Amino acid sequence: MALSFIEPFGYEHGWRDIVNDVTFNVDDRRPDTYPDVVWESTDTITLDLGQNVTVQAKASDPFRNAITPVPDTDIILTGAGTITTTISRRSGQSTTISITAIGGPVTITHIQLRATPVPTVRTVKVGASDSVSIQRHGQRSNPDDAPWVNANDAQAVAQLLLAHYAQRRPSIQLRLVSSDRDHLLQILQRTISDLITIRHSELGLYADFHIESIEHTINRMPSDKETTSDCEERVHYATLGCERTGLTIPANPFTFDVANRGFDDGVFDPTAADDPTQVFVFDDPAQGQFDRGRFGT
């Protein structure tokens, strides 16, 4: 189904999004053998009988097997009453300590949390690069980190980034207005990662894009008449942010001595668009023949 969009129409060539060199610093963590104090506070807390307070305990490193604070051991208090305590979680990097006064008022002057810490024992550097893309576009490093990954996960993330961004991926922003039922259905049914085909004659653009973002707006649209008044009714429209899909292997690759595949007929393959079933292999009975197997990139 062909639908029309309205201005503004934004187009980015994708040069600035190229990533061909990815490096991550990965923390190698090992849990300690015994529990230790992972957080403490010396703030004074005063509670009346039956009163409850929650305290956020955030450690500098992740921890495991947190121990519910014990009065007179982990919590120093004075007063006629005592307390009960609970914690919201036993592993992570933070937990919420809930304290309730019973038997009378109390004053707390020190709180600590014991758990098994998981500190960093060393930091390793994991990365990958695309030499073809670096030679063509210059070195473009990934600006983001990959927190909470191990070395194997970091390597997989690096490979995925290179596969996706070593070559430019144009992106666009377009606006769909619910001018009729078909447009309204398209607006309401579109979701992130949907594949759509976008055509823009002035740019010579006719390609498939994945939807990366959707922004819905209900607003008054400017009138087409030469007046300063707006439309009397509000209009629902959606702004789609889209990124072009991966390169597509041409159906008619350029071949010197095959009819209808020469100049003005065949097309050159894009870089990194090799089809393993068609790429030229010297000792293959089919792919190893000229005009049958295609040279890889």
Side-chain angles (χ1 to χ4, degrees), residues 219-236:
N219 203 352
R220 297 184 185 276
M221 301 295 290
S223 174
D224 292 333
K225 300 179 180 179
E226 295 181 358
T227 65
T228 57
S229 62
D230 292 336
C231 300
E232 294 182 359
E233 297 183 0
R234 295 184 181 272
V235 177
H236 177 204

Side-chain angles (χ1 to χ4, degrees), residues 65-71 74 85-87 90 97-98 112-114:
N65 305 321
I67 301 171
T68 302
V70 179
D74 300 303
T85 60
T86 60
I87 56 176
R90 298 190 178 277
I97 304 172
S98 180
Q112 69 180 23
L113 177 69
R114 289 176 294 151

Side-chain angles (χ1 to χ4, degrees), residues 4-237:
S4 300
F5 51 85
I6 67 172
E7 298 294 336
F9 181 91
Y11 179 82
E12 293 287 344
H13 291 281
W15 297 114
R16 66 180 181 180
D17 297 324
I18 291 175
V19 174
N20 51 33
D21 181 72
V22 183
T23 302
F24 297 122
N25 291 322
V26 180
D27 292 336
D28 187 6
R29 296 180 178 272
R30 296 287 187 274
D32 286 352
T33 305
Y34 303 104
D36 197 358
V37 176
V38 297
W39 174 88
E40 60 183 342
S41 172
T42 56
D43 294 340
T44 300
I45 301 174
T46 301
L47 298 176
D48 294 327
L49 173 63
Q51 186 177 356
N52 175 268
V53 66
T54 57
V55 179
Q56 187 73 16
K58 184 175 182 180
S60 57
D61 285 313
F63 55 80
R64 300 167 57 184
N65 305 321
I67 301 171
T68 302
V70 179
D72 299 326
T73 299
D74 300 303
I75 300 178
I76 299 176
L77 69 156
T78 58
T82 184
I83 58 172
T84 61
T85 60
T86 60
I87 56 176
S88 61
R89 59 191 300 181
R90 298 190 178 277
S91 62
Q93 194 168 355
S94 66
T95 188
T96 300
I97 304 172
S98 180
I99 305 172
T100 303
I102 58 175
V106 297
T107 299
I108 299 171
T109 57
H110 181 268
I111 307 174
Q112 69 180 23
L113 177 69
R114 289 176 294 151
T116 303
V118 187
T120 299
V121 295
R122 63 173 182 168
T123 299
V124 297
K125 185 167 290 187
V126 177
S129 61
D130 187 314
S131 59
V132 175
S133 178
I134 292 175
Q135 184 177 8
R136 177 173 297 179
H137 306 297
Q139 186 172 355
R140 304 285 190 88
S141 298
N142 176 53
D144 301 317
D145 295 325
W148 306 113
V149 298
N150 59 31
N152 293 331
D153 291 338
Q155 188 68 42
V157 171
Q159 294 293 343
L160 287 172
L161 286 172
L162 292 179
H164 196 79
Y165 290 111
Q167 304 300 324
R168 68 183 183 90
R169 291 285 186 96
S171 59
I172 61 96
Q173 278 196 331
L174 60 83
R175 178 181 292 181
L176 284 174
V177 178
S178 55
S179 56
D180 53 41
R181 181 177 180 275
D182 291 336
H183 282 78
L184 178 60
L185 287 176
Q186 285 296 314
I187 288 177
L188 297 179
Q189 294 176 354
R190 291 309 100 214
T191 60
I192 302 298
S193 81
D194 276 1
L195 182 66
I196 61 175
T197 301
I198 299 174
R199 185 170 186 172
H200 194 290
S201 300
E202 293 183 9
L203 292 175
L205 177 65
Y206 192 3
D208 292 334
F209 285 76
H210 280 111
I211 298 177
E212 298 287 326
S213 65
I214 304 175
E215 180 181 350
H216 292 274
T217 304
I218 299 178
N219 203 352
R220 297 184 185 276
M221 301 295 290
S223 174
D224 292 333
K225 300 179 180 179
E226 295 181 358
T227 65
T228 57
S229 62
D230 292 336
C231 300
E232 294 182 359
E233 297 183 0
R234 295 184 181 272
V235 177
H236 177 204
Y237 63 90

Side-chain angles (χ1 to χ4, degrees), residues 214-286:
I214 304 175
E215 180 181 350
H216 292 274
T217 304
I218 299 178
N219 203 352
R220 297 184 185 276
M221 301 295 290
S223 174
D224 292 333
K225 300 179 180 179
E226 295 181 358
T227 65
T228 57
S229 62
D230 292 336
C231 300
E232 294 182 359
E233 297 183 0
R234 295 184 181 272
V235 177
H236 177 204
Y237 63 90
T239 302
L240 306 183
C242 307
E243 185 179 72
R244 187 169 179 176
T245 61
L247 297 172
T248 303
I249 300 174
N252 189 25
F254 178 85
T255 309
F256 282 99
D257 57 350
V258 175
N260 299 321
R261 290 192 180 184
F263 287 104
D264 302 326
D265 294 315
V267 293
F268 288 99
D269 285 351
T271 301
D274 302 323
D275 184 345
T277 64
Q278 298 185 33
V279 69
F280 184 88
V281 180
F282 279 98
D283 57 351
D284 187 276

